[in-house]
Amino acid sequence: MTVLAHRTDTVTRDALAVLQPGFEGTTAPAWLLRRVGEGLTAVGLFGRNIASPEQLAALTAQLRTERDDVLVAIDEEGGDVTRLEVRGGSSFPGNLALGAVDDTGLTRDVARELGRRLAECGVNLNWAPSADVNSNPDNPVIGVRSFGADTHLAARHTAAYVQGLQAAGVAACTKHFPGHGDTNVDSHHALPRIDVDLDTLQARELVPFKAAIEAGTKAVMSAHILVPALDPTRPATLSPQILTGLLRGELGYEGLIVTDGMEMNAIAGTYGIARGSVLAIAAGADAICVGGGLADEATVLRLRDALVAAVREGALPEERLADAAARVRALAAWTRGARPDAQPEGSRASGIGLTAARRAVVVTGSAKPLTAPYVATLAPVANIAVGDETPWGVAAELAELLPGTAAGVYPEGSCAGDVMAAAGDRTVVVVVRDAHRHPWMTEVLDSLVEARPDTVVVEMGLPRAEPRGALYIATHGASRVCGRAAAEIVAGA
C-alpha cells in the first residue's frame, strides 16, 4: 500500500508539473499558491494579471514564496502582442518591424532589453519569438508577428531574438512549430491546414526552427495546425510524428516542448482540452499551456485528474509523463541559476524600442506640414492573440506633437463620407491595419484619396497594398513606438 500510495502521489505531482495554467486577478489566489506547493511548477500570466511593473514584481515574488524555482511564463512578443504594456502599447516594435530593418544586432539588443524588463519583474519564460515564415499575406493570425516572408531572414532574426532574450536570463519559447505562416485560418477559432509537400516544409517552415535550436532555445511551442505531409490525421500539438519523430528525432531538439493554448478552438472544439492534453503529452509535449480563456482551479484539477487517469488506464505511459515533468523541472532549475550577461559596452538599450521603430518606417510621397489634422482610424476586429484592449494607431501620439488634432475610430460598415463629414476642412490622416485583407477598408481608402488627394495614409499592419495618398507611411507594426515613429513623420512632413 505504501509503494502504491507513493506511486500515485508521484504521478499526481508529475501531472501538476506539466500544466501551465492562468488565473484571474493581480495577486495570486489561494488555490494557485496551494497547487504550487503541491507540485505545480509553472504559471502563465496574461494582460488581466498586470497593472504595473511594481505590481508584477510583487506577484511573482508572491508565487515564489511557495516555490523559488516556479516558471512564470508570459506571452510578450513586443509589438502588437504585449502583456507587459497591455494598457498603453508596447515600448518595442514587433518582429515584422525588426525584419524590415534587417539588423540582427538590433534584434538581439531589442530582445535583450525586453528580457531585462521581464526579468526585473520576475518573469523567466517568454512564449516568444514567433519563428513563422509569413508566406501567406492573408494569414489572419501571424502577419506582423512574423519577421517576414523570407525564410532565411526569419531564421537569422529568430536566432538573434533567442540569443538576446536568453542573455537576459529569460527562457525563449520559439513558436509555432512546425510553422503557422502559410495558414488562412486562425487556430483560436478553427483548425488550420497547411497543404504543402515535405520539400517545401524542409526548405521554408522548418529553417527558422533549426536556427532557434542551434541558438539554444530553451523551449519550443507547438502549433494547432494540420500538416498532412507530416501527419494526415492529427494536428501538430497531438502528433507523435511531428513532436517526437520530427522535432525530437530529426531535428535533435532536447529542450521543453510547450503546447499552444489548449482552450483554443482548434483543440477544444475537436478533441476537448482534457483528452487533448493527454494526447499532447503522449505525443511528446512536455507542458500544457492553458489559462488564456480558462483560468480557474477546476480546470487545473480536471486536467491533472485526466492525466492521472490516463496513466492508470494505460493510455499514457507513466514514463512519458515523468519525462515531461522532468523537462519542466529542468527548465525551472535553469532559470533559477541563470545569470544575465553583462550589458555590452555601448549598448543601445536606452530608447532602443523607439530607435528600432523609427528605422523600420518606410515613407512614400510627400505632404505639406500639417497643423491640426483629423486622424481617422479604420479599425478591423483584432485577432485574439493581439486582443482588442491594447490601444493602437497614431492619434494619441500625433495629438502630443500637434495640439488640436482631432480623431475618430471607424469600424467595418463605415464609409469615406463619414470620415470627410467629421474631418471638415482638416487634412485627413487615415490609419489602417492590414488594408489588403479588408475590402471595406480598401474601399474607404480609395474613396478618401480620390476625394482628398492630400490625404495621409499610415499602414500599421502588413504593407501589401500599393502606396496611396500624398504621403504613405508603412510602420510594419502597431505598437506604441510604431505609432510614435509615424506621428513624428506626419508632424514634420
Side-chain angles (χ1 to χ4, degrees):
M1 290 294 293
T2 303
V3 173
L4 180 60
H6 175 73
R7 176 175 175 271
T8 301
D9 183 62
T10 298
V11 172
T12 301
R13 290 183 66 84
D14 286 348
L16 274 176
V18 302
L19 302 180
Q20 294 187 352
F23 62 95
E24 299 285 348
T26 54
T27 58
W31 71 261
L32 183 66
L33 295 173
R34 183 170 61 255
R35 300 305 171 190
V36 171
E38 292 173 358
L40 187 69
T41 310
V43 174
L45 300 183
F46 299 86
R48 63 177 179 250
N49 305 122
I50 300 169
S52 69
E54 295 76 19
Q55 167 269 326
L56 179 55
L59 169 58
T60 58
Q62 183 187 17
L63 290 168
R64 291 194 171 95
T65 60
E66 294 294 331
R67 184 187 185 109
D68 64 357
D69 67 344
V70 67
L71 287 169
V72 180
I74 197 169
D75 193 6
E76 180 57 59
E77 299 178 12
D80 292 29
V81 180
T82 180
R83 310 299 179 227
L84 199 59
E85 299 180 275
V86 67
R87 289 167 178 80
S90 180
S91 300
F92 302 91
N95 285 3
L96 187 66
L98 295 172
V101 178
D102 196 12
D103 176 349
T104 53
L106 178 68
T107 296
R108 191 176 298 109
D109 286 349
V110 166
R112 190 187 189 288
E113 176 61 11
L114 178 58
R116 185 191 67 78
R117 295 192 190 185
L118 291 173
E120 278 188 347
C121 297
V123 176
N124 54 13
L125 172 58
N126 191 9
W127 293 320
S130 170
D132 308 297
V133 179
N134 199 59
S135 55
N136 183 352
D138 293 325
N139 194 315
V141 68
I142 301 301
V144 297
R145 300 168 64 197
S146 166
F147 288 110
D150 180 273
T151 298
H152 297 289
L153 179 144
R156 60 179 174 265
H157 286 277
T158 296
Y161 197 106
V162 167
Q163 292 163 351
L165 196 62
Q166 293 185 170
V170 175
C173 182
T174 305
K175 61 188 182 184
H176 307 79
F177 187 83
H180 210 310
D182 192 20
T183 58
N184 57 11
V185 172
D186 185 342
S187 51
H188 291 90
H189 302 299
L191 179 62
R193 177 185 176 109
I194 296 182
D195 284 305
V196 297
D197 57 34
L198 285 173
D199 288 343
T200 301
L201 288 169
Q202 289 285 354
R204 188 178 67 188
E205 270 74 18
L206 297 182
V207 173
F209 291 98
K210 292 176 182 177
I213 292 169
E214 290 173 4
T217 187
K218 294 296 179 181
V220 169
M221 178 177 282
S222 67
H224 303 329
I225 57 175
L226 188 67
V227 188
L230 298 174
D231 187 332
T233 59
R234 288 188 178 178
T237 294
L238 312 183
S239 170
Q241 293 96 310
I242 294 174
L243 298 188
T244 300
L246 176 59
L247 184 54
R248 290 275 186 234
E250 185 177 332
L251 301 187
Y253 178 63
E254 293 294 333
L256 189 75
I257 300 176
V258 184
T259 72
D260 206 345
M262 296 299 284
E263 69 272 36
M264 293 163 64
N265 210 43
I267 298 297
T270 53
Y271 294 85
I273 64 166
R275 179 171 175 243
S277 296
V278 171
L279 291 173
I281 297 296
D286 305 304
I288 301 296
C289 175
V290 64
L294 299 171
D296 53 33
E297 184 177 21
T299 298
V300 173
L301 296 181
R302 180 154 65 105
L303 297 186
R304 180 201 67 183
D305 293 348
L307 292 166
V308 171
V311 171
R312 185 174 60 247
E313 295 162 5
L316 173 63
E318 183 176 346
E319 298 77 17
R320 171 77 276 270
L321 179 62
D323 174 65
R327 290 181 191 275
V328 174
R329 294 176 187 127
L331 181 58
W334 178 86
T335 60
R336 182 174 56 184
R339 296 292 179 266
D341 292 350
Q343 193 81 357
E345 188 175 347
S347 168
R348 296 173 284 185
S350 178
I352 191 171
L354 181 55
T355 297
R358 286 169 174 157
R359 290 181 62 186
V361 170
V362 174
V363 180
T364 304
S366 61
K368 64 183 180 181
L370 306 182
T371 51
Y374 182 78
V375 180
T377 302
L378 308 188
V381 175
N383 70 61
I384 294 175
V386 172
D388 57 10
E389 68 270 35
T390 304
W392 68 281
V394 303
E397 299 293 335
L398 193 55
E400 287 186 11
L401 300 173
L402 297 177
T405 294
V409 177
Y410 298 85
E412 184 173 0
S414 304
C415 65
D418 299 331
V419 175
M420 289 186 286
D425 59 1
R426 297 169 182 257
T427 300
V428 175
V429 177
V430 59
V431 184
V432 297
R433 197 173 187 170
D434 291 343
H436 69 283
R437 293 200 303 110
H438 304 284
W440 71 271
M441 204 179 285
T442 300
E443 183 178 342
V444 173
L445 267 181
D446 289 342
S447 297
L448 275 173
V449 171
E450 182 178 358
R452 300 277 190 93
D454 63 344
T455 296
V456 174
V457 179
V458 182
E459 170 61 81
M460 304 194 76
L462 199 64
R464 291 285 298 177
E466 288 296 319
R468 66 196 74 191
L471 183 68
Y472 179 88
I473 301 169
T475 62
H476 300 92
S479 70
R480 179 178 56 81
V481 287
C482 291
R484 181 69 183 190
E488 290 172 348
I489 292 170
V490 173

